[in-house]
Amino acid sequence: MDTNEMIEAFFAFVYERQLIWHKRTILHLPAPWTEDKILQTYKFCNVYRQLDAGTLAISKYLQAEYSPEQKLFNIIAYRFFNRRNTIEHLFGGFLNPQTFNFSSYEQRFDKIKQKENIFSNAYLISSHPYNPKYRPQEKHIQILLMLNDLRIQMPNLVKDLKEHKAQEGLSIIQSYVHMAGPFLAGQILLDATYAENIVDYTANDFLVVGPGAHWGLNIIFNKKLSPREAAEKCRFLYKIQAENFEKLKQQKHKNWLDICWQNNQYPNYPYLCLHDIQNSLCEFRKYWRLLNGEKAKKRYFK
């Protein structure tokens, strides 16, 4: 397939994945919600990041009654573990940076870690210990130590984010949150855009092309792209999505406007924001590998 055909295949995948969500969540139809055997069998993230279970879980801590510092502290804690049960049960729900107690959480986590997972396997975080002098091989301890020190820096972190441009926010988060690499910093900053009072920009105003999305771009454009080229191609797909969805409508009678998330507060409504294009590229990479008989992690969806 040439590049144009691969671009069409990408947007066809995005449409079909969103159609599953629409049939299941809006129309309340019984399964199966697609005739695509791969999408029937394997689990794929939602097209809209805000509709994924993890983001929905953190969204309840982004309500107006909480301060920007409290909201951002909870976002950071959640994204490092990336597991709802950890936040809701081990942390006990909403965290207050002013009363965060390292010793208490250390004891609680130590008791439970032998019985159940406390981390999601969705992505990796830094392998370098935050404090090599205290239990350096135990990731949960290093994160708790980092959070314990970070809590007193939250006013400065929020102030710096408010005073700088969106793309600069990534390096600001990394400078304060020492265990966060570029990808995790991007996830934290994305969550911050969903709150009302942390930053005043949206998910269209900055971009982090994660490893999976970069791989997906390499597949579509049939070459190994540099990081700069990958970002350019991601923005290119973002810009041409309306015409490609229109082509899908004209050729196959599949109308994106009928199934898109009906939320006029969403940036770039009724089309996808820049980061949801990036997110979909990662999922397309997994889909394309399965379609071509390659191995992928078996996360079956029933």
Side-chain angles (χ1 to χ4, degrees):
M1 297 175 68
D2 63 22
T3 297
N4 288 332
E5 291 173 320
M6 289 301 301
I7 290 174
E8 291 178 5
F10 168 68
F11 284 108
F13 163 79
V14 171
Y15 177 92
E16 195 66 24
R17 179 61 186 90
Q18 176 60 15
L19 181 61
I20 292 171
W21 177 87
H22 182 76
K23 286 182 175 180
R24 182 187 183 195
T25 307
I26 303 301
L27 301 181
H28 303 291
L29 296 176
W33 303 289
T34 178
E35 295 180 0
D36 188 302
K37 296 301 182 182
I38 294 174
L39 291 174
Q40 280 185 13
T41 305
Y42 288 86
K43 183 176 180 180
F44 290 84
C45 292
N46 276 303
V47 169
Y48 294 89
R49 181 180 183 273
Q50 283 176 263
L51 298 178
D52 267 332
T55 306
L56 291 173
I58 192 62
S59 65
K60 63 184 173 182
Y61 302 122
L62 304 180
Q63 303 304 311
E65 63 264 28
Y66 300 130
S67 71
E69 292 78 14
Q70 290 174 316
K71 292 179 183 180
L72 189 55
F73 188 74
N74 279 270
I75 288 170
I76 293 167
Y78 180 85
R79 286 301 172 189
F80 267 93
F81 292 95
N82 206 34
R83 188 174 177 85
R84 281 174 290 168
N85 283 349
T86 298
I87 298 301
E88 294 172 359
H89 298 138
L90 288 179
F91 277 129
F94 184 77
L95 296 172
N96 187 335
Q98 295 181 338
T99 59
F100 186 90
N101 186 293
F102 167 78
S103 297
S104 174
Y105 289 123
E106 178 184 25
Q107 295 174 20
R108 190 181 301 177
F109 275 59
D110 282 347
K111 286 181 181 178
I112 202 68
K113 69 172 184 173
Q114 303 298 331
K115 301 178 182 178
E116 64 179 75
N117 290 332
I118 58 177
F119 290 97
S120 163
N121 61 0
Y123 51 76
L124 299 176
I125 64 170
S126 172
S127 60
H128 301 293
Y130 174 72
N131 182 351
K133 295 181 180 179
Y134 186 74
R135 301 177 68 177
Q137 303 301 320
E138 299 184 76
K139 186 166 61 173
H140 71 288
I141 294 297
Q142 295 303 306
I143 295 171
L144 292 174
L145 287 168
M146 182 272 296
L147 291 172
N148 192 55
D149 288 347
L150 178 64
R151 64 192 184 91
I152 62 174
Q153 293 293 322
M154 292 309 300
N156 292 332
L157 172 53
V158 171
K159 180 175 180 291
D160 279 352
L161 287 176
K162 288 181 179 293
E163 292 178 350
H164 290 80
K165 296 179 180 179
Q167 197 68 31
E168 296 172 335
L170 298 167
S171 59
I172 290 171
I173 288 176
Q174 286 184 263
S175 69
Y176 281 90
V177 187
H178 298 296
M179 296 178 72
F183 180 78
L184 186 52
Q187 297 301 302
I188 292 167
L189 194 57
L190 278 171
D191 287 328
T193 67
Y194 306 151
E196 295 179 357
N197 56 353
I198 300 177
V199 295
D200 60 0
Y201 43 80
T202 75
N204 277 329
D205 298 321
F206 64 98
L207 176 63
V208 179
V209 178
H214 195 148
W215 192 349
L217 287 162
N218 289 345
I219 292 171
I220 292 172
F221 293 96
N222 195 29
K223 61 178 293 190
K224 188 173 182 180
L225 300 168
S226 69
R228 179 185 60 80
E229 290 173 326
E232 289 175 353
K233 295 299 186 185
C234 188
R235 293 181 187 278
F236 171 71
L237 293 175
Y238 164 75
K239 291 177 181 178
I240 66 170
Q241 61 178 307
E243 62 188 76
N244 276 271
F245 283 130
E246 180 62 24
K247 186 185 297 183
L248 200 59
K249 175 185 174 183
Q250 296 299 327
Q251 294 179 351
K252 299 186 178 181
H253 308 290
K254 295 181 176 181
N255 190 350
W256 173 260
L257 300 184
D258 287 342
I259 65 168
C260 68
W261 184 26
Q262 300 297 318
N263 178 5
N264 57 17
Q265 300 300 311
Y266 173 80
N268 204 42
Y269 175 82
Y271 298 104
L272 294 176
C273 75
L274 181 59
H275 265 287
D276 283 336
I277 291 289
Q278 189 274 157
N279 184 61
S280 295
L281 284 163
C282 181
E283 298 302 290
F284 177 72
R285 178 269 308 176
K286 180 169 66 177
Y287 176 83
W288 194 254
R289 291 182 67 201
L290 289 166
L291 187 65
N292 287 277
E294 298 182 40
K295 293 182 179 180
K297 185 178 291 185
K298 293 183 179 180
R299 294 180 65 201
Y300 291 111
F301 181 77
K302 296 183 180 179

